[in-house]
Amino acid sequence: MTIAIILLISLLALAIVAYGSSNIHSGMFLEAFCKNNSEELLLTFDDGPDPVNTPKLLDVLDKYGVKATFFMIGEKVDMYPDVVKEVYRRGHRIGGHTYYHNPWHNFYIHRRYMDELKRAHNAFAKLGVEISDFRPPLGITTPTVSSACTRMNYKVWGWSIRSFDTMDKPREEVFARIVKRLKPGGIILLHDRMDGVAELAEKVILAIREKGLKV
């Protein structure tokens, strides 16, 4: 086997591993919940809690009687405990999103990654919130993430509709992208750290109902 062929095979193997790591839908390292089995669409929000945007969002969800899932960063849980308690009080589902939300931490050795998950878990527990759901930052999965989530007995979430709402895009473009992909059983990924998320969520809820779908 020539050096060129060996190099080509090595590059192909790295590309496959990179794809499996960055694409949570691949199922290469762990099975993630990327589509729900009901007719309803699910709204999910990452990177909170935010002291300004999350309360506004909660009011919109209440207005339409919608329950959502919030994947929160442990560090922010410690910073804004009252917001976490309010999300919980209003009956929304809460999951973990690591303690620091550093995507490179997904490549930690097992012990260090477990320490981060436990620290985030304990931040919730101090507030009387027990979590069993988890979404890795950026949807990056590795053998370490898989092993740690198994140890923590976490249900890992992905998504089927990625809004790219954190990108520098007009809100109209983000909204159009979401609406184009609306299907029964979809899981929509948004971020409650972003300004305007409450208004965007309201438009999405109305669009879902206008299509005769449920949320």
Side-chain angles (χ1 to χ4, degrees):
M1 187 177 291
T2 66
I3 294 177
I5 294 176
I6 292 174
L7 181 60
L8 181 62
I9 292 173
S10 298
L11 290 173
L12 179 61
L14 285 172
I16 292 172
V17 171
Y19 174 80
S21 295
S22 63
N23 191 329
I24 198 167
H25 305 85
S26 73
M28 178 174 290
F29 298 114
L30 56 80
E31 289 296 326
F33 178 61
C34 296
K35 184 179 179 181
N36 80 86
N37 294 322
S38 74
E39 291 296 304
E40 294 187 2
L41 288 102
L42 300 179
L43 285 176
T44 67
F45 299 91
D46 284 10
D47 297 0
D50 183 90
V52 175
N53 295 316
T54 305
K56 291 180 181 179
L57 175 60
L58 290 176
D59 288 342
V60 167
L61 296 174
D62 277 357
K63 178 180 177 180
Y64 295 98
V66 172
K67 298 301 181 187
T69 301
F70 291 79
F71 293 97
M72 299 182 176
I73 299 170
E75 185 178 32
K76 292 186 177 181
V77 170
D78 281 336
M79 292 171 64
Y80 310 114
D82 290 342
V83 182
V84 180
K85 291 177 182 178
E86 187 63 14
V87 173
Y88 186 70
R89 186 189 71 80
R90 299 203 196 188
H92 300 284
R93 192 167 186 156
I94 296 176
H97 202 41
T98 70
Y99 190 82
Y100 289 112
H101 195 273
N102 185 333
W104 291 109
H105 291 184
N106 292 327
F107 298 94
Y108 271 176
I109 61 173
H110 181 268
R111 178 181 59 78
R112 289 190 66 186
Y113 197 74
M114 279 294 296
D115 287 344
E116 176 157 350
L117 291 195
K118 287 179 179 178
R119 185 173 182 184
H121 196 95
N122 290 337
F124 290 108
K126 287 187 297 185
L127 303 178
V129 177
E130 291 297 326
I131 64 169
S132 58
D133 300 291
F134 178 76
R135 179 179 275 160
L138 303 186
I140 293 175
T141 61
T142 65
T144 295
V145 174
S146 177
S147 175
C149 288
T150 299
R151 288 278 301 276
M152 296 293 289
N153 199 28
Y154 281 159
K155 178 180 181 179
V156 181
W157 288 54
W159 56 81
S160 61
I161 303 173
R162 189 172 192 173
S163 64
F164 289 103
D165 59 332
T166 60
M167 306 292 284
D168 186 20
K169 295 177 180 290
R171 295 292 92 180
E172 294 77 11
E173 184 177 331
V174 173
F175 173 69
R177 175 184 174 81
I178 296 170
V179 171
K180 183 179 179 180
R181 290 163 173 77
L182 292 177
K183 293 179 181 178
I187 299 175
I188 303 170
L189 169 61
L190 294 164
H191 296 78
D192 53 322
R193 68 175 171 86
M194 300 299 295
D195 292 340
V197 66
E199 293 80 3
L200 176 60
E202 182 169 26
K203 290 180 65 176
V204 170
I205 291 168
L206 291 172
I208 291 170
R209 292 183 174 174
E210 286 173 4
K211 285 177 172 285
L213 301 172
K214 299 178 181 180
V215 61

